[in-house]
Amino acid sequence: MGELILNEHYLTITFRSREKIKTKGSIAWDCNEKSLDGFSPETGWIRIDLTLLFHIHRVYEIKRKKLQSLASKKHSIRSILAKYSRREKNRAKDFVHKLTKEISRDFKNYVHGFEDLRKKNMFNYSKEHNRRIAKMNWKMITSFMSYKSRTVILNPKNSTRRCSRCGKINAPKGASYACSRCGLRINRQLNAAVNLYLQMEGLSPSLRLFEELMKTWSGFTLTGEEADEGSDELERSPRLMNPKSYESLFKTT
Ligand SMILES: [Zn+2]
């Protein structure tokens, strides 16, 4: 038995658990506008499609715009708008609940790492509106995950700019990350997820370590050539989870 805490209304008895929870490993998640990209050496690259979540917000955005264009301040319209907002929120919540439940179940006993969103300087190139939605979704995902699994918060500094193989800071452009020093060419989100994984484990990037982590995974090149990121994605990450097609993925096998 641990501490006893007594106040006016109740007594709290705390227990110390002697049982250590065995963890299988760590998965670091890079939050992106339309996907959640995870990496661990045991699972490889896990990409979860968030398009549906964005679609939910988009649908209600269009509905609201239509209504607002009627340019009326009538009470009825205000209440419909409020109803839309509630529905949008509920649908997004529902999606994130299912998503985080699935992640927690499929990657049971893993510690999940998420970036500290307060420090994350997001998408300079994207519209303010999308940025706001992305932030809202990630906050929800991170917070729901923390109820269902063990989570840690990571520092996002340089996670997208650092080369996960040699450590050089590059300025990535587009979907592919190319390192000007070691020649690594890799999906940009995967590079970020590997960097976050290294941080979780207290490791620094090195050529040997990269080789070790990526031993069983493909989808990148070391010569600056275009990486074949699409064709073997299913093979490389059998856990590819697109909540939309998740079921059908399993039905066909
Ligand atoms: Zn490099």
Side-chain angles (χ1 to χ4, degrees):
M1 205 161 72
E3 251 179 301
L4 297 176
I5 303 156
L6 181 68
N7 74 10
E8 278 174 67
H9 306 290
Y10 47 81
L11 169 71
T12 308
I13 305 170
T14 63
F15 293 92
R16 281 196 200 100
S17 169
R18 228 177 267 166
E19 190 194 357
K20 268 191 186 165
I21 302 160
K22 271 186 209 152
T23 57
K24 275 194 196 161
S26 303
I27 302 180
W29 296 97
D30 179 51
C31 294
N32 295 289
E33 223 180 23
K34 300 235 167 88
S35 70
L36 199 59
D37 291 84
F39 175 79
S40 85
E42 293 86 15
T43 61
W45 177 18
I46 311 146
R47 164 161 279 190
I48 298 172
D49 191 351
L50 297 182
T51 322
L52 195 63
L53 191 53
F54 262 80
H55 184 70
I56 291 171
H57 296 296
R58 181 88 187 116
V59 164
Y60 282 97
E61 190 197 343
I62 292 166
K63 280 187 176 190
R64 263 195 301 270
K65 279 225 172 95
K66 258 188 198 159
L67 210 59
Q68 277 158 347
S69 69
L70 298 174
S72 169
K73 294 244 157 34
K74 271 188 201 159
H75 177 72
S76 59
I77 286 183
R78 276 209 308 270
S79 77
I80 295 170
L81 283 172
K83 189 174 77 187
Y84 284 167
S85 289
R86 272 199 309 276
R87 281 192 188 158
E88 177 186 9
K89 215 180 205 172
N90 285 341
R91 284 190 64 193
K93 259 189 182 169
D94 190 52
F95 179 95
V96 174
H97 259 306
K98 282 180 188 146
L99 175 82
T100 51
K101 200 171 145 191
E102 215 154 87
I103 297 173
S104 296
R105 190 193 60 208
D106 285 9
F107 304 102
K108 212 180 160 195
N109 296 333
Y110 276 93
V111 181
H112 298 269
F114 290 92
E115 291 164 292
D116 187 343
L117 296 178
R118 285 169 305 173
K119 291 183 194 158
K120 182 155 171 147
N121 179 24
M122 297 179 303
F123 320 121
N124 297 324
Y125 53 85
S126 83
K127 286 181 199 157
E128 188 56 41
H129 176 73
N130 284 0
R131 193 192 292 215
R132 197 178 52 78
I133 285 178
K135 207 162 190 168
M136 190 163 78
N137 288 338
W138 302 345
K139 258 190 186 159
M140 211 190 270
I141 291 170
T142 312
S143 122
F144 285 14
M145 273 304 286
S146 72
Y147 303 140
K148 293 166 180 152
S149 283
R150 275 183 67 194
T151 55
V152 290
I153 297 299
L154 306 168
N155 185 349
K157 195 181 175 211
N158 285 335
S159 63
T160 51
R161 293 168 65 219
R162 182 182 290 119
C163 171
S164 58
R165 185 169 176 250
C166 76
K168 185 176 166 59
I169 306 286
N170 293 284
K173 280 188 201 107
S176 196
Y177 180 95
C179 177
S180 61
R181 184 161 72 193
C182 75
L184 174 69
R185 185 146 177 178
I186 188 170
N187 175 279
R188 182 178 162 159
Q189 271 89 49
L190 176 57
N191 181 64
V194 176
N195 274 326
L196 291 168
Y197 173 81
L198 294 174
Q199 190 193 133
M200 268 182 102
E201 299 296 287
L203 302 165
S204 302
S206 79
L207 306 194
R208 244 186 67 197
L209 183 59
F210 187 87
E211 199 183 326
E212 183 62 30
L213 293 177
M214 293 298 194
K215 210 161 47 184
T216 44
W217 312 109
S218 60
F220 54 89
T221 63
L222 303 179
T223 53
E225 281 173 87
E226 195 89 40
D228 183 14
E229 286 165 359
S231 61
D232 69 334
E233 184 150 351
L234 274 173
E235 215 175 291
R236 181 160 33 89
S237 57
R239 302 265 201 171
L240 182 86
M241 294 199 300
N242 174 350
K244 220 173 6 174
S245 60
Y246 194 56
E247 276 178 50
S248 56
L249 264 179
F250 278 80
K251 269 177 201 156
T252 50
T253 53

